[in-house]
Amino acid sequence: MLRWVRQQLGFDPPHQSDTRTIYIANRFPQHGHYVPQKFADNRIVSSKYTVWNFVPKNLFEQFRRVANFYFLIIFLVQLMIDTPTSPITSGLPLFFVITVTAIKQGYEDWLRHKADNEVNGAPVYVVRSGGLVKTRSKNIRVGDIVRVAKDETFPVDLVLLSSDRVDGSCHVTTASLDGETNLKTHVAVPETAVLQSVANLDKLVAVIECQQPEADLYRFVGRITVSQQTEEIVRPLGPESLLLRGARLKNTKEIFGVAVYTGMETKMALNYKSKSQKRSAVEKSMNSFLIIYLIILLFEAILSTILKYAWQAEEKWDEPWYNEKTEHERNSSKILRFISDFLAFLVLYNFIIPISLYVTVEMQKFLGSFFIGWDLDLYHEETNQRAQVNTSDLNEELGQVEYVFTDKTGTLTENEMQFRECSINGIKYQEVNGKLTPEGFSEDSPDGNIHSLMKEEELFLKAVCLCHTVQINADQTDSADGPWHANGIASPLEYYASSPDEKALVEAASRVGVVFTGTTGDSMEVKSLGKPERYKLLHVLEFDPNRRRMSVIVESPSGEKLLFTKGAESSILPRSKSGEIDKTRVHVDEFALKGLRTLCVAYRRFTPEEYQEIGKRLHEARTALQQREERLADVFNFIERDLELLGATGVEDKLQDKVQETIEALRLAGIKVWVLTGDKHETAVSVSLSCGHFHRTMNILELVQHKSDSTCAEQLRQLAKRIKEDHVIQHGLVVDGTSLSLALREHEKLFMEVCKNCSAVLCCRMAPLQKAKVVRLLKTSPEKPITLAIGDGANDVSMIQEAHVGIGIMGKEGRQAVRNSDYAIARFKFLSKLLFVHGHFYYIRIATLVQYFFYKNVCFITPQFLYQFFCLFSQQTLYDSVYLTLYNICFTSLPVLIYSLFEQHVHPHVLQSKPVLYRDISKNAHLGFKPFLYWTILGFFHAFVFFYGSYLLMGEDTSLLGNGQMFGNWTFGTLVFTVMVITVTMKMALETHFWTWINHFVTWGSIVFYFIFSLFYGGIIWPFLHTQDMYFVFVQLLSSGSAWFAIILIVVACLFIDVVKKVLYRHLQPTSTEKAQMEEDKGSVSSACDFAESRHRGEDNRQLLDPSSLPDSTYVH
């Protein structure tokens, strides 16, 4: 129990040594002195709190806020010394704020716990006691043998023991981990691969020794020792034996594996960043303003205390006849008295710090976040998914984004390749109704007879069908009487490919008549127009990024040795000696301009002598121990020459809807877009071009394939120099993962300088933690820009958690990104509405809310300070204590809360159609020092007008009440308070652009409520109140005509200057937003006039046509 508690609190690291020893099926040695290693359980935790730490951790986070901590101090002061106001005035609001915030954050974390429990409670099958046992994912222990079926996700990191195949291989897609959709082949060691049944596995006696968990997805070092009869067989284990949690089993019925890393020690979890409390820029601004107001407060308290003692230096004021000191007061220490008076003034003025600001902000964020979920423009009908808010603390941050970091696979693209066009022997073809049709031709009948292929077309399609790494679903067969049409057009085969392009090409070939039907042993089978052909696969020349091509050498049914090659045009065309090279080059450029991914296809025939020479060279290079890679590259170059060009293909990676428009809109809004992907260099660049991230006119700079620090630094310097020389044109930068690691190690500043001068950056071959490092690099740069990360897979989680705002896409790659994000949307295109409309509104609303709160509290407390000059700094309060408590809670709270929920200063359609307006609010423009200064000075100005206006207008000459009595101090205070409530409420009304019935109700209702409450409070003797200073004060005040005159005059005087300032600025120095508002107003006026005019015209026409029509008949045009 103690160990469990220690683990929950994070004090007990489960393992200590450098390696871990795992006994398969937990068969530990029988000798007595063996102590099993301790391993983590298989729970995944994305939540922030536990039952044990919620209260202390949440309280610690809340009291980090300046205002909360300050009010705690004030509350303690009120408890300890005799102060002018009751401790309840501070304690009650503080308790309310802390409780509401804790409930909100607790609820959000409960939702995370719920999501975790869903994952941890998923059913899994484990081999125990000679049979398969169904259990929950969280119960898997290190050493358990787990069974995973086809299309299931691996629940832990497993070492593969066996599969349903004889060779112990299986195919896996890691799309949710690294964004790669290709199938990866994993193999078991021969000794365990033969154990394909539960009974056989239960007898297995083996030990795995491997490294402790680390985050690198592509690294695993270990060994397995299998005990067979009397001997022990030791086999090495590498990444090809490790199946990672989050990856999915494909093309294999089932596998058995042993759990080696569990729970938060799996590579997927180690690539998550720990969830830290994200705080918005607005909250940081609020804390800065609070500190300034604290300084004002301390200044007022110190000044009041000093002036009090300056007054009391005169004996007549020190101890007047009506207020004699007690013996204890005369003998008490002057220093203690000074401190006591200072604290009393501190308590008297403490309302200048608005505690209700925090609770209003919390309510605004929580209630406001529902609008995102309710927005039908963010609803995706096909998948029935609406936008989701996981944390409401960052709503306004959506209006401050300067950098967007986006994943590529599944975020910008649908991850679906579609064959579009091809060029064969210099002629362009398109696929029409399952037939290859030359451009400009059209088929008369959609379903004609068997379409015969020309020799060149058939050879091209065979090259496409043979030169690839495509696999076929093991469940399917190629039986002749299977579900084939006579011409081989309809293909029921399910292909799995190492790249989506290959899959699209093989599928396209099968639709037009040449069908790849699978591999058996070393043979590849193809059906050409229904006729089966078998090609013997002799050699595969694997793809590599330097050559940018792949090849196969096959033996045709006639015994001929052929080389088929496909790759980038830059690597195929220069090596071709015959074929329509020039025409194909033109076609390839045309395809590329359409944003298609292009590949060229070529072939070569070998004589028996040439093939013998090639076979010998290949064998030597492949068995070389020294410089194997260089020797292989030389042999590949020797083989892949003197090619005969067959043609080229154009495949479209289907982009998500409106991705190009969204990226362009982000650019217009002043937001820089970086694409961070785990995909290949060529693929990533191609998608960047097609989605508008890179423009065709852009100068694309590359920092790729650097192995050493020096070459990387040199390249960076050259890039920086080129950018300075060509500063007129736009630059795009391409970086790969290895070069990025080198650049960040020593040359961070230089790298950042190059990146900031590029209008678009693409990072490819990125590991998940590298993505987070790039985001952190930008976040912590001197400008401290606000960053947003968006992705759909588990490989994006670290980046999503690192950025200021993390957005998950509800894609095809699991739910990890959505679970760990701040917001989740169904498609990338929804990002524009989320930022330009919701983000803009949230920021404007909360910026005004914060400034207004400080303004109304300055208005509230400054008259209290000025009043001390008239009462010998005796700490007499100007307002009644009930008014002190209710000012922020009741009288002025609702108008600003409703404003902060419903305000729309510009129509949403205008904001979305004019992304430039987003620049008006960037860099925290509305919460900068100038707006803050303006609101503060306005608050002080209004406070002076309230106090001295009331003082001058209700001086000795006009101070008679309706019953002939003179004004008292409570009547004066109530007059100031009445003017203040009306003015600050009207000020909020002036700020409101979007009026609904709710705005009208709370604005005028707040003023009416104040009057009704004051009449009731002062008109009745309440038995539970000790003193009732306000009895009949308000009624008598309102019975005075001069008081009404004073109220109206002071309110008009205060707001008149503000109105004049608004009008002048709007016409002399309008912002883009104000211009849009004026255009919108003109548009609505003109459309109303047009409507009225057309209606009159319609009526006139109708009366001309029908003289007998009634005079009051209406017509809507």
Side-chain angles (χ1 to χ4, degrees):
M1 179 66 187
L2 184 65
R3 181 174 166 269
W4 181 81
V5 171
R6 284 172 62 79
Q7 271 198 345
Q8 291 300 307
L9 296 171
F11 298 132
D12 190 13
H15 50 72
Q16 307 296 334
S17 63
D18 293 336
T19 59
R20 55 170 54 187
T21 304
I22 298 149
Y23 291 86
I24 293 180
N26 290 307
R27 287 197 183 82
F28 301 117
Q30 295 306 308
H31 51 77
H33 59 265
Y34 173 74
V35 180
Q37 284 177 291
K38 306 285 186 193
F39 301 119
D41 60 22
N42 197 36
R43 291 169 196 269
I44 283 288
V45 181
S46 65
S47 52
K48 197 166 61 175
Y49 304 113
T50 65
V51 175
W52 308 99
N53 70 12
F54 176 72
V55 173
K57 198 171 180 181
N58 190 267
L59 285 177
F60 170 72
E61 281 175 357
Q62 290 209 57
F63 283 116
R64 275 167 59 195
R65 289 176 162 175
V66 178
N68 289 350
F69 184 69
Y70 160 78
F71 269 91
L72 180 67
I73 299 295
I74 290 291
F75 176 62
L76 295 174
V77 167
Q78 285 179 302
L79 288 175
M80 287 187 292
I81 67 164
D82 180 27
T83 55
T85 54
S86 161
I88 295 170
T89 55
S90 297
L92 199 65
L94 176 66
F95 177 75
F96 180 65
V97 169
I98 296 293
T99 308
V100 168
T101 308
I103 289 169
K104 174 184 157 288
Q105 291 181 348
Y107 170 71
E108 287 176 352
D109 205 60
W110 175 74
L111 291 178
R112 289 191 203 105
H113 272 282
K114 204 171 152 190
D116 288 344
N117 291 341
E118 210 174 294
V119 172
N120 295 330
V124 290
Y125 287 92
V126 177
V127 177
R128 282 183 191 156
S129 311
L132 270 183
V133 179
K134 188 176 181 180
T135 183
R136 293 179 185 277
S137 173
K138 64 182 178 185
N139 298 329
I140 298 175
R141 303 178 308 232
V142 170
D144 279 345
I145 298 173
V146 182
R147 191 204 78 170
V148 180
K150 184 187 172 189
D151 288 329
E152 287 182 356
T153 301
F154 299 117
V156 286
D157 286 355
L158 300 164
V159 164
L160 179 61
L161 294 177
S162 67
S163 73
D164 62 319
R165 298 179 180 185
V166 182
D167 60 355
S169 67
C170 71
H171 300 296
V172 167
T173 172
T174 56
S176 71
L177 292 170
D178 55 14
E180 290 192 15
T181 51
N182 58 322
L183 289 186
K184 295 182 172 70
T185 305
H186 290 258
V187 287
V189 297
E191 284 71 26
T192 63
V194 294
L195 309 174
Q196 293 179 304
S197 69
V198 174
N200 288 340
L201 281 164
D202 198 47
K203 295 172 191 164
L204 173 66
V205 179
V207 181
I208 291 174
E209 290 170 273
C210 61
Q211 63 190 150
Q212 292 291 8
E214 64 168 22
D216 191 338
L217 293 174
Y218 310 110
R219 188 164 179 269
F220 177 68
V221 179
R223 65 181 179 190
I224 183 169
T225 308
V226 183
S227 302
Q228 288 185 346
Q229 283 92 32
T230 53
E231 61 173 338
E232 287 190 343
I233 299 163
V234 180
R235 295 279 184 185
L237 296 173
E240 73 286 346
S241 306
L242 188 69
L243 306 169
L244 300 177
R245 178 175 189 142
R248 197 179 286 271
L249 183 65
K250 289 281 186 186
N251 207 9
T252 313
K253 279 183 187 170
E254 65 173 18
I255 64 100
F256 289 96
V258 60
V260 287
Y261 304 130
T262 48
M264 298 308 286
E265 293 183 341
T266 56
K267 289 184 182 286
M268 182 181 89
L270 291 172
N271 272 282
Y272 288 175
K273 278 189 75 276
S274 59
K275 204 158 184 72
S276 61
Q277 176 83 351
K278 290 185 181 180
R279 296 166 76 207
S280 68
V282 168
E283 193 174 320
K284 289 168 191 166
S285 297
M286 271 163 56
N287 285 345
S288 308
F289 298 161
L290 282 168
I291 289 165
I292 293 169
Y293 272 73
L294 270 174
I295 292 165
I296 294 171
L297 171 69
L298 291 170
F299 170 75
E300 287 184 350
I302 291 167
L303 183 65
S304 298
T305 314
I306 291 168
L307 288 173
K308 176 177 181 172
Y309 282 91
W311 275 107
Q312 288 180 356
E314 292 183 49
E315 203 165 321
K316 63 173 180 174
W317 298 124
D318 183 32
E319 196 175 346
W321 58 270
Y322 54 84
N323 192 13
E324 290 185 5
K325 292 180 183 177
T326 62
E327 197 63 36
H328 175 70
E329 284 174 336
R330 287 197 189 98
N331 298 331
S332 62
S333 158
K334 281 194 173 181
I335 294 170
L336 283 175
R337 280 207 329 255
F338 185 90
I339 292 168
S340 176
D341 281 325
F342 167 71
L343 291 174
F345 278 119
L346 207 61
V347 168
L348 191 66
Y349 303 148
N350 85 75
F351 286 94
I352 197 168
I353 306 292
I355 190 165
S356 54
L357 167 63
Y358 273 119
V359 78
T360 310
V361 166
E362 291 290 347
M363 287 169 72
Q364 188 267 347
K365 287 180 175 183
F366 182 66
L367 297 172
S369 63
F370 287 106
F371 291 121
I372 292 177
W374 292 336
D375 190 343
L376 289 177
D377 289 341
L378 302 182
Y379 169 71
H380 192 241
E381 204 168 340
E382 289 165 39
T383 55
N384 188 28
Q385 288 170 326
R386 56 176 70 236
Q388 190 178 309
V389 179
N390 296 331
T391 174
S392 56
D393 288 343
L394 304 167
N395 294 344
E396 65 279 1
E397 210 80 326
L398 293 169
Q400 293 296 293
V401 175
E402 292 169 64
Y403 281 86
V404 167
F405 298 92
T406 172
D407 176 41
K408 178 190 73 68
T409 314
T411 303
L412 298 178
T413 67
E414 292 280 13
N415 209 8
E416 290 173 16
M417 301 290 179
Q418 290 182 338
F419 174 79
R420 287 285 176 236
E421 294 180 65
C422 64
S423 166
I424 305 173
N425 203 27
I427 302 166
K428 267 207 282 189
Y429 290 82
Q430 288 176 330
E431 186 188 349
V432 179
N433 299 320
K435 294 166 191 173
L436 272 187
T437 310
E439 195 175 51
F441 285 76
S442 63
E443 294 288 339
D444 295 326
S445 61
D447 295 302
N449 297 324
I450 294 175
H451 172 57
S452 61
L453 294 167
M454 289 193 295
K455 188 187 168 192
E456 292 90 351
E457 294 172 2
E458 192 176 355
L459 187 59
F460 173 84
L461 292 170
K462 280 181 183 172
V464 166
C465 276
L466 294 168
C467 183
H468 58 69
T469 57
V470 172
Q471 289 141 358
I472 291 177
N473 190 336
D475 300 342
Q476 295 176 322
T477 60
D478 57 345
S479 57
D481 55 346
W484 299 91
H485 288 266
N487 60 356
I489 288 170
S491 165
L493 291 174
E494 191 181 348
Y495 292 115
Y496 292 102
S498 64
S499 83
D501 327 47
E502 287 191 337
K503 184 175 179 232
L505 291 173
V506 172
E507 284 176 344
S510 75
R511 288 195 298 272
V512 297
V514 180
V515 184
F516 168 63
T517 58
T519 54
T520 50
D522 59 354
S523 295
M524 298 180 83
E525 292 171 18
V526 172
K527 274 188 181 173
S528 180
L529 299 175
K531 190 178 85 181
E533 292 180 10
R534 182 167 288 195
Y535 287 81
K536 190 178 180 187
L537 182 62
L538 302 170
H539 296 285
V540 177
L541 280 56
E542 297 85 359
F543 175 87
D544 73 63
N546 294 322
R547 280 169 43 246
R548 298 179 73 188
R549 58 186 180 272
M550 80 156 284
S551 304
V552 291
I553 300 174
V554 294
E555 186 180 321
S556 69
S558 62
E560 204 174 9
K561 307 286 194 298
L562 300 169
L563 168 84
F564 288 113
T565 302
K566 76 167 190 292
E569 78 279 2
S570 56
S571 66
I572 300 286
L573 296 180
R575 299 182 157 271
S576 304
K577 65 168 187 179
S578 59
E580 295 288 350
I581 297 170
D582 293 332
K583 283 185 182 176
T584 305
R585 184 177 278 118
V586 171
H587 290 167
V588 165
D589 290 342
E590 286 174 14
F591 294 164
L593 282 170
K594 292 176 186 175
L596 302 180
R597 296 155 64 95
T598 57
L599 288 171
C600 287
V601 182
Y603 84 114
R604 178 183 172 186
R605 297 175 196 272
F606 293 123
T607 62
E609 295 77 24
E610 282 176 331
Y611 177 71
Q612 209 171 349
E613 169 72 9
I614 283 164
K616 185 182 161 194
R617 285 196 178 200
L618 268 175
H619 180 72
E620 285 174 2
R622 285 199 159 128
T623 52
L625 293 174
Q626 303 294 323
Q627 297 179 319
R628 183 183 294 177
E629 286 180 6
E630 289 86 344
R631 291 178 72 171
L632 271 174
D634 291 341
V635 176
F636 288 174
N637 284 332
F638 172 73
I639 297 168
E640 295 165 331
R641 60 194 173 92
D642 302 335
L643 302 172
E644 193 172 327
L645 187 64
L646 289 170
T649 61
V651 173
E652 183 181 37
D653 183 1
K654 193 181 172 195
L655 285 173
Q656 283 190 20
D657 191 25
K658 294 187 177 172
V659 164
Q660 203 159 353
E661 294 92 324
T662 306
I663 288 178
E664 189 52 41
L666 292 171
R667 199 171 274 137
L668 286 171
I671 298 170
K672 285 194 172 181
V673 181
W674 287 36
V675 176
L676 312 180
T677 175
D679 224 330
K680 294 199 291 283
H681 174 196
E682 294 80 11
T683 312
V685 171
S686 172
V687 173
S688 271
L689 284 165
S690 61
C691 73
H693 178 237
F694 284 166
H695 289 303
R696 302 258 162 216
T697 54
M698 227 179 233
N699 180 20
I700 295 175
L701 312 170
E702 292 193 344
L703 182 69
V704 289
Q705 290 170 20
H706 287 285
K707 300 283 190 293
S708 73
D709 215 18
S710 53
T711 57
C712 181
E714 183 54 39
Q715 177 71 359
L716 271 171
R717 286 188 202 99
Q718 284 181 6
L719 292 179
K721 191 179 170 187
R722 275 183 68 184
I723 290 169
K724 276 181 186 168
E725 287 168 0
D726 304 337
H727 61 276
V728 180
I729 57 170
Q730 286 189 321
H731 299 278
L733 177 68
V734 184
V735 193
D736 65 5
T738 50
S739 307
L740 183 81
S741 298
L742 293 169
L744 296 186
R745 201 179 299 156
E746 297 288 332
H747 317 288
E748 207 173 276
K749 275 191 178 175
L750 186 58
F751 176 68
M752 283 305 297
E753 190 187 322
V754 170
C755 287
K756 282 179 181 172
N757 289 320
C758 293
S759 46
V761 179
L762 167 66
C763 303
C764 51
R765 302 307 277 165
M766 300 281 282
L769 280 177
Q770 277 185 314
K771 291 185 176 187
K773 271 184 188 170
V774 171
V775 176
R776 193 182 313 124
L777 185 69
L778 257 292
K779 242 174 85 173
T780 53
S781 63
E783 294 83 18
K784 300 227 175 340
I786 302 296
T787 57
L788 178 146
I790 179 167
D792 68 322
N795 59 322
D796 305 312
V797 168
S798 301
M799 159 174 96
I800 283 169
Q801 290 182 345
E802 180 63 60
H804 292 96
V805 183
I807 295 184
I809 295 273
M810 301 168 190
K812 298 171 185 172
E813 298 185 9
R815 307 292 287 178
Q816 290 98 326
V818 171
R819 278 175 51 232
N820 287 276
S821 64
D822 303 308
Y823 302 89
I825 51 178
R827 286 291 180 270
F828 183 80
K829 66 177 178 181
F830 296 149
L831 188 63
S832 60
K833 174 101 193 249
L834 195 65
L835 298 187
F836 303 152
V837 179
H838 289 287
H840 200 121
F841 283 157
Y842 283 134
Y843 177 74
I844 290 290
R845 290 165 185 168
I846 205 159
T848 309
L849 182 148
V850 170
Q851 306 276 30
Y852 175 76
F853 252 94
F854 284 114
Y855 153 80
K856 75 185 178 79
N857 280 48
V858 167
C859 289
F860 182 38
I861 284 306
T862 307
Q864 183 91 286
F865 171 67
L866 296 173
Y867 184 58
Q868 297 307 305
F869 287 89
F870 293 84
C871 68
L872 288 185
F873 298 92
S874 60
Q875 293 148 15
Q876 167 65 34
T877 175
L878 177 63
Y879 316 118
D880 182 71
S881 59
V882 171
Y883 284 167
L884 272 174
T885 310
L886 296 184
Y887 174 73
N888 276 318
I889 294 173
C890 292
F891 301 145
T892 59
S893 58
L894 277 179
V896 68
L897 177 63
I898 296 302
Y899 168 91
S900 67
L901 289 174
F902 297 124
E903 173 63 358
Q904 294 182 13
H905 60 304
V906 183
H907 195 280
H909 293 307
V910 176
L911 285 177
Q912 204 164 356
S913 60
K914 293 186 177 178
V916 178
L917 299 180
Y918 193 80
R919 293 175 185 243
D920 274 5
I921 58 166
S922 63
K923 298 194 187 299
N924 210 4
H926 288 242
L927 276 174
F929 188 68
K930 276 186 180 176
F932 169 71
L933 199 64
Y934 165 72
W935 279 92
T936 305
I937 290 170
L938 187 71
F940 278 115
F941 166 71
H942 283 181
F944 273 80
V945 175
F946 300 154
F947 186 82
Y948 287 109
S950 300
Y951 182 72
L952 293 171
L953 289 169
M954 308 309 289
E956 290 169 19
D957 299 333
T958 57
S959 60
L960 284 181
L961 294 169
N963 60 4
Q965 289 180 344
M966 301 291 284
F967 257 53
N969 66 318
W970 293 116
T971 316
F972 176 73
T974 307
L975 175 65
V976 173
F977 194 84
T978 305
V979 170
M980 178 168 60
V981 168
I982 296 170
T983 306
V984 296
T985 307
M986 294 297 290
K987 171 65 182 162
M988 188 76 265
L990 280 178
E991 294 300 313
T992 306
H993 293 94
F994 186 72
W995 283 88
T996 63
W997 68 266
I998 304 176
N999 292 78
H1000 282 291
F1001 178 75
V1002 297
T1003 301
W1004 315 120
S1006 291
I1007 297 171
V1008 171
F1009 172 75
Y1010 164 69
F1011 276 88
I1012 293 170
F1013 173 84
S1014 298
L1015 288 168
F1016 267 91
Y1017 173 56
I1020 298 169
I1021 296 176
W1022 300 99
F1024 52 83
L1025 293 175
H1026 299 301
T1027 59
Q1028 202 161 342
D1029 301 318
M1030 297 298 292
Y1031 182 65
F1032 242 67
V1033 168
F1034 195 70
V1035 179
Q1036 289 181 345
L1037 176 72
L1038 296 188
S1039 67
S1040 165
S1042 53
W1044 282 103
F1045 173 72
I1047 290 168
I1048 294 164
L1049 191 66
I1050 294 168
V1051 170
V1052 171
C1054 284
L1055 297 177
F1056 179 72
I1057 294 170
D1058 206 40
V1059 172
V1060 169
K1061 180 249 173 193
K1062 275 181 180 293
V1063 171
L1064 287 174
Y1065 266 81
R1066 200 177 180 84
H1067 286 86
L1068 299 177
Q1069 283 185 325
T1071 60
S1072 311
T1073 308
E1074 285 168 344
K1075 285 176 187 169
Q1077 284 171 345
M1078 288 190 271
E1079 282 171 27
E1080 198 184 327
D1081 292 341
K1082 283 176 193 169
S1084 60
V1085 169
S1086 62
S1087 63
C1089 293
D1090 291 344
F1091 177 75
E1093 191 182 325
S1094 63
R1095 182 173 164 174
H1096 288 309
R1097 202 181 302 126
E1099 284 178 1
D1100 295 343
N1101 293 343
R1102 192 168 156 203
Q1103 284 172 356
L1104 284 168
L1105 292 167
D1106 183 13
S1108 63
S1109 62
L1110 295 168
D1112 60 347
S1113 62
T1114 55
Y1115 177 84
V1116 179
H1117 184 65

